[in-house]
Amino acid sequence: MKKMLITGSMAMITLAGVAHGQNSVTFYGLIDAGLTYTNNQIAGTGSGHSNWEMTSGAVQYSRWGLRGTEDLGAGLKVIFTLENGFNLNNGQYSSSNRIFNRQAYVGLSSREYGALTLGRQTDSMVDFVAPLSLTGTEFGGTHFAHPLDNDNLNDSFQINNSVKYMSPDFGGLRAGALYGFSNQAGEFKNNRAYSFGMSYVWGALNFGIGYLGLSSSARTPAELNTNGAVTDTTGASLQGALAPTGVPLGVLASSQKTFGAGVNYTFGPAVAGFVYSHTKLTQFFQTGLSGTFQNFEGNIRYALTPAIELSGAYTYSRAGGNGGGGLPHWNQLSAMADYRFSRRTDVYIQSAWQRSSPSGTSPLGVAWINGVTAPSSTSNQIEATVGLRHRF
């Protein structure tokens, strides 16, 4: 009897080991905490004031998640990701009523045919263009974003109800496409999304393009189809400037069409890049108002030593449309120095200066660096952050 029990126990251990070898679940995360100084912040109806504040995600949004696979054989796997963004300052979710507010998807992945996934996912601007811009990377991030993150390169919102395909790597070429359903009977186009893009790596050259389209029938935030493709943000890109906090700009227009392209070139310890993006909003708030944003970003990174990385960017952005004169343009200079204690832990200091011209009383008429609490009371604003980042 004892011999049978021992034999049975050994068999169970062996089977458990086989199952573990075929399946994997990884717990991962990133914590980004900093102290930020910003000048000229509007406080109520008064003039601008300096602000010292603790920040979460000054470079990369703090997050934790689960990532897993099951090997089905013949190069086919089941894959899933569940990822939560949170505010380190108070421990709250970075968007309301969503546990896995950054990503939540499951699908199939094949070495030969690529991956097909379903759930809440990133669009092609994030997948293919953002890695070529400092705002979309660990070398710049939130404060380096283009005004109001109008092109979503800082991943301020994700796409619900989405089906996404990512191709395998064909000699450096990858392509992808996504469709986010409105999930509303009789209103197929009311808050839907579609996106596609590609990237190509050839030696030291890295090129990417992306497109994102949104459409909606909402005239006010209260009329927004809250079961649709885009319903809230995990970032703070809008902060109530043109829409209430948590409502992306594009879903309050009858359509948003965003195109972007970028290129990086690596030479020795340096990487230089250029990114262009264009966002067109049609019938904002379902009125006759339409507008555009254009962004031109030049950036560079330099590995001074294996532990020290320097980066900087200059971005010129301009708005246009039929809403009358006085539409602004922006100039922004951003710089960052990063020191790695280890592969997982680093400290950084970064700063961004922005000037909006012409100045005015509207949210678009004053400077407003992405991710800071409030806009400037003038056409200029500067922020500086010292932060600690840990990955696990």
Side-chain angles (χ1 to χ4, degrees), residues 133-349:
S133 165
L134 288 192
T135 182
T137 69
E138 63 183 294
F139 308 105
T142 304
H143 293 317
F144 284 34
H146 306 154
L148 304 176
D149 195 23
N150 62 81
D151 47 19
N152 201 36
L153 292 188
N154 198 48
D155 195 17
S156 289
F157 63 86
Q158 294 77 38
I159 311 298
N160 303 325
N161 317 322
S162 63
V163 178
K164 181 176 179 178
Y165 171 75
M166 292 288 284
S167 78
D169 188 316
F170 296 107
L173 177 68
R174 294 196 71 192
L178 170 146
Y179 188 88
F181 291 86
S182 70
N183 275 17
Q184 188 174 47
E187 294 286 347
F188 189 74
K189 295 182 179 180
N190 186 14
N191 196 0
R192 68 167 179 172
Y194 49 96
S195 187
F196 51 86
M198 60 167 287
S199 65
Y200 181 64
V201 178
W202 181 46
L205 190 68
N206 188 352
F207 173 77
I209 59 173
Y211 179 86
L212 169 65
L214 307 175
S215 62
S216 176
S217 301
R219 291 179 175 84
T220 68
E223 296 179 1
L224 178 65
N225 171 19
T226 56
N227 293 317
V230 180
T231 50
D232 66 355
T233 66
T234 56
S237 61
L238 295 182
Q239 296 264 2
L242 299 176
T245 301
V247 180
L249 184 63
V251 297
L252 294 181
S254 64
S255 73
Q256 173 181 333
K257 298 177 180 179
T258 298
F259 166 80
V263 62
N264 279 179
Y265 184 78
T266 302
F267 50 101
V271 180
F274 176 79
V275 170
Y276 169 79
S277 67
H278 181 280
T279 294
K280 181 179 181 180
L281 301 168
T282 303
Q283 294 185 342
F284 187 61
F285 283 108
Q286 302 302 313
T287 66
L289 296 177
S290 299
T292 61
F293 291 89
Q294 291 188 82
N295 307 283
F296 305 82
E297 176 192 328
N299 60 68
I300 189 165
R301 297 168 13 216
Y302 184 79
L304 191 62
T305 71
I308 300 175
E309 183 102 22
L310 306 177
S311 57
Y314 166 73
T315 299
Y316 172 73
S317 304
R318 63 188 182 193
N322 61 2
L327 291 173
H329 57 266
W330 296 265
N331 289 275
Q332 180 165 315
L333 288 171
S334 310
M336 177 173 169
D338 182 83
Y339 178 78
R340 290 184 178 273
F341 290 112
S342 67
R343 188 166 56 91
R344 299 193 301 170
T345 303
D346 60 313
V347 293
Y348 62 84
I349 180 169

Side-chain angles (χ1 to χ4, degrees), residues 50-68:
S50 297
N51 189 13
W52 291 89
E53 58 185 316
M54 180 175 288
T55 52
S56 173
V59 179
Q60 293 176 278
Y61 299 129
S62 297
R63 69 199 73 169
W64 65 269
L66 298 169
R67 184 183 296 118

Side-chain angles (χ1 to χ4, degrees), residues 81-134:
T81 294
L82 303 171
E83 187 173 285
N84 165 264
F86 63 92
N87 187 325
L88 184 68
N89 296 350
N90 53 27
Q92 294 181 345
Y93 298 146
S94 55
S95 63
S96 60
N97 302 321
R98 296 181 189 273
I99 297 176
F100 300 111
N101 47 39
R102 287 186 55 82
Q103 297 186 84
Y105 65 81
V106 65
L108 295 173
S109 174
S110 165
R111 289 195 304 263
E112 187 175 357
Y113 299 108
L116 182 68
T117 50
L118 300 90
R120 179 174 169 90
Q121 304 175 84
T122 55
D123 64 80
S124 296
M125 290 292 291
V126 175
D127 294 337
F128 296 106
V129 183
L132 308 174
S133 165
L134 288 192

